[in-house]
Amino acid sequence: MFGISGGEFAALLLLALLIFGPDQLPKAAQQVGRVLRQLRKMANSASNDIKEGLGPEYKDFDVQDLNPKRFVQKHFWEDEEDEKPKKAAGLNGKRPPFDDEAT
């Protein structure tokens, strides 16, 4: 969950208990949950508005494709996953020489 281990989660829970107290902690958790639901709803609405604004020719558009890492993976490496890896020309499949002292 969010890249948090069990120990970190327990520490955060203890910290929240100390800050809000046992009587206010359920109310604070409820408010945080409500805010997260509203943010998720707003993000989904914005994503749908973008898709509608682009028109039918972009029906397969995904907002995550705007992430540069995802864009590169999708457009440059997606086709190569199906093919066998190509050997570099002139290296005969070997790693290039590396000199530790050169850097």
Side-chain angles (χ1 to χ4, degrees):
M1 182 169 87
F2 302 116
I4 298 175
S5 68
E8 292 172 342
F9 183 74
L12 288 174
L13 188 62
L14 181 64
L15 183 64
L17 185 63
L18 290 173
I19 291 173
F20 294 109
D23 54 337
Q24 294 295 322
L25 188 60
K27 292 178 186 177
Q30 187 179 34
Q31 289 175 345
V32 167
R34 188 178 305 122
V35 167
L36 289 176
R37 277 193 303 276
Q38 289 175 346
L39 287 173
R40 187 179 312 129
K41 188 186 296 184
M42 287 174 26
N44 288 337
S45 175
S47 175
N48 290 335
D49 288 345
I50 289 172
K51 287 179 183 179
E52 288 176 12
L54 289 174
E57 57 271 0
Y58 291 101
K59 66 179 179 179
D60 295 332
F61 175 74
D62 186 14
V63 178
Q64 294 294 327
D65 291 339
L66 297 176
N67 182 341
K69 182 177 179 181
R70 170 110 168 132
F71 179 83
V72 169
Q73 286 175 344
K74 182 177 181 180
H75 293 287
F76 291 109
W77 284 292
E78 191 173 78
D79 296 334
E80 293 180 11
E81 290 176 358
D82 298 333
E83 301 174 6
K84 291 191 322 187
K86 298 179 182 178
K87 293 183 180 179
L91 293 178
N92 297 327
K94 298 178 184 176
R95 291 183 68 185
F98 181 74
D99 185 9
D100 289 328
E101 297 174 3
T103 55

